[in-house]
Amino acid sequence: MTAAQVETKQFQAETRKVLDIVINSLYTERDIFVRELVSNAADALEKFRHQSLIEKVEFDAHVPLEITIDCDDKTHTLTLTDTGIGMTKEELETNLGTIAHSGSQHFFEQLAEAAQKDVNLIGQFGVGFYSAFMAAKKVRVQTRSFNGEEGFEWASDGGGTYTISPCPGLHRGTKIILELKDDAQTYGSKFTIERIIQQYSTFVPFPVKVEGKTVNTVQAIWTRSKSEISEEEYTEFYKFIANAGDEPMLRLHFSADAPLAINALVYVPKENFEVLGMGRMQPGVNLYCQKVLIYQHSENILPEWLRFLKGVVDSEDLPLNISRQSLQDNALVVKLRKVLTKRFIKFLGEEAERHPEKYLEFWKNFGIFIKEGVTSDYEHRKELGKLLRFESSASEPGQTISLDDYVGRMREGQDKIYYINGPSRMAVEYGPYVEMFKKRGVEIFYTLEPIDDFVLNHLGEYDGKKLVSADRADLHLPEFTEIKPEDETGKENAAPLAADALDQLCQWMKTILGERIAEVKVSTRLVDSPAMIVNVDGYMTSSMERLLKASGQNEAFGMGMKKDLEINGSSPLIKKLSTLRESDTTFAGDVVEQMYDNAMIQAGLLVDPMAMVQRNYRILERVAGDSAAAL
Ligand code: ADP
Ligand code: MG
């Protein structure tokens, strides 16, 4: 080959970073590079198998689908060969020179952290190939695409560059040649390699031959009966299918004959990588037909909110040569998705009853996906309601309960389910919205995540009972027998301000607050707090407004976000304010403004902090003056 044919190229900056991380990572987990390369070879074989189902492949059609591993103890090289789909020159450059996820700084922070803790995790980041450099000082990749174009060799020592040069005479597929590092020569021994294959890659659905001997048993575990499969096998299969190093949290293995013939084995992982900041997860369930992989990571067989599931779905009823396009609107696939989704929701419901602790662990890590389901999956919204969990006024701090628990405890005559959002349990319990619920002994959910109000809003009702936010203006709690704690009797008797004085006060307060408020009204529900903000737009809650504002969307929604200020005629502050208005209108105005700001803060809404602090000082100065004068 002439020098002119060898092209030297720079790795993309992100790839260099990954290489640095891999090369400098702990060596205790080095074995996993074998798993990563075998898994890539198996992927390439699956891709070829599927390709040959949808089009007639002429070139090298006779070459059997398998993975061959050769060890050379003398030259310290390890060679992995697959007869898979291969790569063209362009594919070599994009696949082994750049990183699909690139551009996200966060991705690298996560990757670096994960790799330092446990190199095992890097396969999940889609950069498994580079783990070859944990053991090799030089890696050569010789490959020829199934389309028959002449092959190429990619070579690198893991530094800043790689070379690409023509490599004629190859068969279809990819050969990876590793020149082992001095301290990694054990990978030149077939015993080491056999052990690693047995540990990590027994489920590869193609023969893996080490020095001519097949070392794995090819099997489709999901088609076997449950009673024949051991826990270890299940866990090993999870690790294989999810390319994961951890153990699964939950597992569902089921088969059905009607309305479709299905064998499915799906897992919930232990960690939610999406909340760990890794960006949006790709779907993790593969679609098989009669044990042949049709699509890896198919977007069509499950709704998006189930993208955290890993596993296999096999249906004999699907045509083997179904194409990606027809998968999207194929009636069978639609039916398959329905059956799978319903079955999985049912499974979670059963799990919640059988193993509540475990379900709560699931809820903590993956509840966000259930919530996403409620907002995005109209078809399954109702069933998903059963799986939701929130804290409530009747739950211990930090403990969550279900809508069924709540409904089971509803008071006679109560026909709605109430909730209120806030940043923390403390903030909610000390806020004005919960007072009357406590007083009347009515349970109320505390929705502590900003997204929760959207979720309950989408759900609308549960078990025939409307879901209602307690910051609604038109909230009417029925007069249940009141539960009066001893020490509140005194307050109860305190006479409220006379009706006409209250009326005038409301009107005057409205002139102070102007457009910020639709109306100032006398509250029928406040107990201790002097005032609170309520929402006139029935379907908007303060927390939804907060979220929309934060994402800059409130304008786009074009909503007035109309609010009322409700005041408590029995509150000492309101009574004194009525008098103060006569004697010192300006100062009384400051008090109204401050009361409004306080109520906004309690509703979780933004106020102008500078104006508030200055006003607050004016009020303090006056109070300090009065106290000093009284001495
Ligand atoms: P991932 O497997 O998660 O995509 P890798 O870093 O392991 O990430 O591999 C990067 C890409 O390189 C693969 O997606 C694939 O396109 C290509 N590749 C790697 N090994 C092979 C192989 N043996 N045959 C064909 N393509 C391969
Ligand atoms: Mg890989």
Side-chain angles (χ1 to χ4, degrees):
M1 176 189 336
T2 65
Q5 287 177 297
V6 181
E7 297 173 45
T8 302
K9 308 207 173 236
Q10 302 278 336
F11 280 114
Q12 182 196 31
E14 285 83 358
T15 313
R16 272 208 306 279
K17 277 193 228 163
V18 169
L19 282 165
D20 280 346
I21 291 168
V22 167
I23 291 168
N24 298 318
S25 65
L26 298 173
Y27 286 156
T28 46
E29 301 272 8
R30 249 185 189 179
D31 286 2
I32 62 111
F33 86 89
V34 178
R35 178 188 75 191
E36 294 299 333
L37 297 183
V38 170
S39 128
N40 284 350
D43 288 351
L45 285 161
E46 296 271 26
K47 282 181 198 160
F48 176 75
R49 178 155 69 179
H50 186 243
Q51 198 60 39
S52 59
L53 285 174
I54 35 186
E55 65 173 283
K56 179 140 184 57
V57 178
E58 304 284 349
F59 170 66
D60 262 359
H62 63 283
V63 175
L65 300 180
E66 61 186 18
I67 300 168
T68 317
I69 303 181
D70 295 296
C71 304
D72 190 333
D73 247 345
K74 307 267 155 14
T75 58
H76 308 300
T77 51
L78 173 66
T79 308
L80 295 99
T81 311
D82 68 69
T83 52
I85 195 153
M87 285 178 269
T88 61
K89 185 178 178 216
E90 289 69 37
E91 285 166 344
L92 257 183
E93 282 182 34
T94 24
N95 295 342
L96 307 185
T98 61
I99 289 170
H101 275 83
S102 72
S104 151
Q105 180 59 31
H106 202 77
F107 170 76
F108 282 100
E109 284 162 15
Q110 291 295 321
L111 172 60
E113 203 176 300
Q116 261 152 29
K117 263 202 302 235
D118 185 357
V119 182
N120 235 320
L121 295 171
I122 71 167
Q124 276 147 302
F125 287 79
V127 294
F129 169 77
Y130 302 105
S131 66
F133 289 98
M134 293 202 298
K137 52 186 169 201
K138 182 167 182 192
V139 177
R140 287 187 290 149
V141 179
Q142 301 177 342
T143 185
R144 186 169 187 184
S145 167
F146 77 104
N147 70 15
E149 266 172 40
E150 277 298 351
F152 282 87
E153 178 180 279
W154 177 104
S156 176
D157 59 7
T161 61
Y162 60 93
T163 59
I164 289 199
S165 45
C167 188
L170 298 173
H171 274 300
R172 179 193 74 229
T174 304
K175 186 189 283 290
I176 302 191
I177 306 158
L178 294 97
E179 284 174 31
L180 298 169
K181 289 181 180 172
D182 295 344
D183 61 357
Q185 289 176 357
T186 169
Y187 299 107
S189 136
K190 73 169 193 177
F191 300 107
T192 310
I193 298 300
E194 270 183 37
R195 173 184 61 76
I196 301 175
I197 301 285
Q198 259 141 26
Q199 188 177 353
Y200 292 114
S201 306
T202 42
F203 290 102
V204 171
F206 300 93
V208 180
K209 295 180 173 169
V210 179
E211 306 278 296
K213 186 179 116 209
T214 304
V215 295
N216 66 327
T217 42
V218 181
Q219 49 186 341
I221 176 175
W222 60 91
T223 59
R224 286 164 49 198
S225 104
K226 280 192 211 178
S227 55
E228 290 171 13
I229 306 169
S230 69
E231 283 298 313
E232 289 72 32
E233 274 180 294
Y234 272 128
T235 304
E236 288 309 312
F237 183 69
Y238 163 75
K239 290 185 179 176
F240 166 70
I241 200 81
N243 200 9
D246 60 348
E247 303 207 341
M249 184 188 302
L250 296 172
R251 165 185 88 222
L252 170 63
H253 185 184
F254 79 97
S255 41
D257 296 321
L260 282 173
I262 300 177
N263 278 303
L265 174 53
V266 293
Y267 300 85
V268 176
K270 184 150 274 154
E271 300 282 357
N272 174 353
F273 279 88
E274 205 162 288
V275 296
L276 290 179
M278 270 202 45
R280 203 176 168 79
M281 264 188 243
Q282 296 305 308
V285 175
N286 299 341
L287 180 61
Y288 283 72
C289 173
Q290 296 166 42
K291 304 185 196 174
V292 174
L293 182 67
I294 306 281
Y295 277 112
Q296 199 170 22
H297 307 153
S298 169
E299 307 92 22
N300 301 303
I301 47 171
L302 287 170
E304 264 189 82
W305 61 270
L306 279 173
R307 61 187 176 278
F308 61 95
L309 287 182
K310 310 279 184 196
V312 167
V313 173
D314 194 326
S315 175
E316 296 175 14
D317 293 337
L318 290 176
L320 260 176
N321 58 354
I322 189 166
S323 77
R324 207 172 273 269
Q325 274 72 26
S326 52
L327 208 53
Q328 246 166 43
D329 39 38
N330 182 293
L332 282 174
V333 176
V334 172
K335 208 184 260 178
L336 186 64
R337 179 168 57 217
K338 207 181 221 158
V339 174
L340 288 170
T341 309
K342 292 215 184 298
R343 186 65 186 83
F344 187 71
I345 293 175
K346 180 166 159 244
F347 163 74
L348 286 178
E350 291 164 355
E351 203 60 21
E353 278 177 22
R354 274 192 308 248
H355 311 290
E357 297 282 305
K358 204 157 188 193
Y359 181 76
L360 286 181
E361 192 191 332
F362 165 81
W363 176 253
K364 238 172 50 210
N365 282 325
F366 295 94
I368 184 78
F369 290 102
I370 304 296
K371 291 178 185 175
E372 183 183 322
V374 173
T375 60
S376 65
D377 188 346
Y378 177 77
E379 214 183 328
H380 302 105
R381 183 169 294 163
K382 270 210 157 65
E383 294 141 279
L384 285 172
K386 219 179 176 50
L387 300 176
L388 295 171
R389 296 291 183 274
F390 300 104
E391 290 198 29
S392 92
S393 54
S395 77
E396 296 292 319
Q399 305 293 310
T400 53
I401 63 156
S402 67
L403 288 158
D404 283 328
D405 293 334
Y406 182 105
V407 169
R409 287 195 288 257
M410 274 169 68
R411 301 204 50 181
E412 217 181 302
Q414 182 185 347
D415 61 350
K416 295 189 178 67
I417 300 172
Y418 300 100
Y419 62 94
I420 184 70
N421 191 280
S424 70
R425 186 174 177 116
M426 274 275 268
V428 172
E429 290 196 320
Y430 284 94
Y433 302 99
V434 172
E435 291 175 359
M436 70 161 166
F437 288 87
K438 286 223 167 121
K439 190 174 153 205
R440 297 179 195 203
V442 174
E443 183 169 0
I444 175 169
F445 275 117
Y446 301 156
T447 54
L448 303 179
E449 298 294 333
I451 183 83
D452 289 346
D453 284 13
F454 283 96
V455 174
L456 294 178
N457 206 279
H458 272 94
L459 192 58
E461 56 169 58
Y462 185 78
D463 196 20
K465 290 143 189 95
K466 274 215 156 55
L467 289 151
V468 176
S469 172
D471 61 11
R472 278 177 68 144
D474 60 356
L475 186 83
H476 297 293
L477 261 195
E479 286 297 331
F480 302 108
T481 21
E482 301 196 356
I483 298 172
K484 289 180 203 159
E486 295 282 297
D487 59 349
E488 278 193 15
T489 1
K491 281 184 212 157
E492 287 292 313
N493 294 336
L497 200 58
D500 54 339
L502 256 178
D503 253 6
Q504 283 172 21
L505 185 64
C506 285
Q507 276 170 34
W508 172 73
M509 284 175 77
K510 166 69 183 149
T511 62
I512 304 273
L513 295 172
E515 289 308 301
R516 284 173 283 175
I517 228 77
E519 256 185 281
V520 180
K521 286 209 241 169
V522 180
S523 181
T524 54
R525 48 171 149 158
L526 283 169
V527 182
D528 293 322
S529 303
M532 72 174 170
I533 294 284
V534 293
N535 290 291
V536 183
D537 286 319
Y539 57 97
M540 277 298 281
T541 71
S542 294
S543 100
M544 289 162 79
E545 174 175 343
R546 189 166 62 230
L547 252 197
L548 291 175
K549 275 217 170 98
S551 59
Q553 283 187 64
N554 59 322
E555 303 292 318
F557 274 66
M559 295 181 198
M561 315 271 186
K562 270 169 73 182
K563 299 176 197 8
D564 287 347
L565 184 72
E566 286 195 2
I567 62 169
N568 177 359
S570 305
S571 148
L573 178 57
I574 294 294
K575 292 188 208 165
K576 285 179 186 159
L577 182 64
S578 176
T579 325
L580 184 65
R581 179 165 78 92
E582 311 289 335
S583 59
D584 188 344
T585 318
T586 321
F587 186 61
D590 269 349
V591 173
V592 171
E593 293 272 359
Q594 187 64 40
M595 210 189 288
Y596 167 78
D597 274 5
N598 289 358
M600 286 289 279
I601 291 171
Q602 286 183 310
L605 295 167
L606 291 181
V607 298
D608 173 357
M610 283 314 171
M612 183 182 105
V613 168
Q614 276 172 10
R615 178 190 328 114
N616 199 264
Y617 277 136
R618 282 201 299 277
I619 297 173
L620 288 177
E621 194 182 317
R622 165 83 174 253
V623 175
D626 286 355
S627 308
L631 281 177

